[in-house]
Amino acid sequence: MSYVIATPELSSVAVAGGIRRFPVRRIYCVGRNYAEHAREMGGDPDREPPFFFAKPADAVVPSGSKIPFPPGTQNLHHEIELVVALGGEGAGVAPDNALDLVYGYAVGIDLTRRDLQGALREKGRPWELGKGFDKSAPIGLLYPASAIGHPSKGRIWLNVNDEPRQDGDIADLVWSVPELLSTLSRYFTLRPGDLIFTGTPAGVGPIQPGDKLNGGVDGLGEIEVYIG
């Protein structure tokens, strides 16, 4: 098939221990999925129904990237997250079956133009300008579940210029990975290539040009990016 313009490059994530890559179809993100982060953002830490937003697939950049400070913001924030990569398809999936869809896991950073997000939220408008900008989804190596299993606990952390900012445990997710996938599958047919950013622990804060971010999740290696 021929196209009227050049075909855009397919976004993908490197898989640990191999030369093959994971192609990215969609990126779903969940908000306020750690109780302490919900409190610091002025929300209710109880189990409110999870809510979701999206980033474009080409927001993905690998560990080691230098990310330009994005335009239109004076308040860029970091959010370290466990990322789930799907290798199966399903709609209306029960929590007990949801992990069957998972290909693997990685550590990612949800970069956020917090001032834009806040202004849009106050007006009841979508968050895309605050969340879905270029290079806003750095992600580390993807570890297949066939090799590591399905992590449900372990330290999740992020440093800025080697100073601790975020430190939590993925066991403290308000909504577990199976629950998130089940809920999301009521609204979308989940398909191979989808990524789900599962939320961030407390300690989010501003970053500036010249900052180095590094973080990790136990068993999933580390991620490091630089703000240009």
Side-chain angles (χ1 to χ4, degrees), residues 158-165 207-214 225-227:
L158 182 136
N159 297 337
V160 177
N161 301 324
D162 298 321
E163 294 294 328
R165 285 280 188 92
I207 46 180
Q208 305 295 332
D211 283 348
K212 178 184 77 172
L213 281 62
N214 71 291
V225 296
Y226 305 85
I227 306 301

Side-chain angles (χ1 to χ4, degrees), residues 27-98:
I27 302 175
Y28 300 101
C29 307
V30 61
R32 300 183 183 177
N33 201 27
Y34 288 80
E36 290 302 318
H37 177 57
R39 290 188 184 97
E40 75 178 350
M41 299 303 294
D44 187 342
D46 293 331
R47 282 169 60 94
E48 295 178 339
F51 66 92
F52 301 91
F53 57 93
K55 290 177 180 274
D58 63 4
V60 165
V61 291
S63 180
S65 295
K66 186 174 183 179
I67 299 170
F69 194 89
T73 184
Q74 302 298 318
N75 194 20
L76 181 67
H77 277 210
H78 57 77
E79 299 187 8
I80 190 77
E81 308 206 8
L82 171 70
V83 180
V84 182
L86 301 188
E89 179 176 322
V93 180
D96 289 348
N97 300 323

Side-chain angles (χ1 to χ4, degrees), residues 33-34 80-83 105-107 150-157 167-177 198-201 216-220:
N33 201 27
Y34 288 80
I80 190 77
E81 308 206 8
L82 171 70
V83 180
Y105 299 87
V107 55
H150 296 282
S152 59
K153 61 181 179 179
R155 184 183 178 222
I156 179 171
W157 58 275
D167 202 329
D169 195 297
I170 60 173
D172 295 329
L173 286 167
V174 176
W175 295 91
S176 69
V177 170
T198 60
T200 194
V217 175
D218 284 352
L220 299 179

Side-chain angles (χ1 to χ4, degrees), residues 124-208:
R125 294 176 180 173
W127 288 4
E128 274 82 357
L129 287 178
K131 288 287 192 176
F133 52 94
D134 296 342
K135 301 185 178 181
S136 62
I139 187 169
L141 292 176
L142 181 58
Y143 289 78
S146 59
I148 67 165
H150 296 282
S152 59
K153 61 181 179 179
R155 184 183 178 222
I156 179 171
W157 58 275
L158 182 136
N159 297 337
V160 177
N161 301 324
D162 298 321
E163 294 294 328
R165 285 280 188 92
Q166 294 182 264
D167 202 329
D169 195 297
I170 60 173
D172 295 329
L173 286 167
V174 176
W175 295 91
S176 69
V177 170
E179 290 171 327
L180 289 175
L181 296 181
S182 177
T183 302
L184 190 58
S185 75
R186 299 175 197 165
Y187 302 99
F188 302 94
T189 298
L190 302 179
R191 300 185 189 279
D194 290 345
L195 297 178
I196 295 90
F197 279 62
T198 60
T200 194
V204 301
I207 46 180
Q208 305 295 332

Side-chain angles (χ1 to χ4, degrees), residues 117-130:
Q117 182 196 26
L120 292 165
R121 183 171 55 229
E122 288 178 4
K123 296 179 180 179
R125 294 176 180 173
W127 288 4
E128 274 82 357
L129 287 178

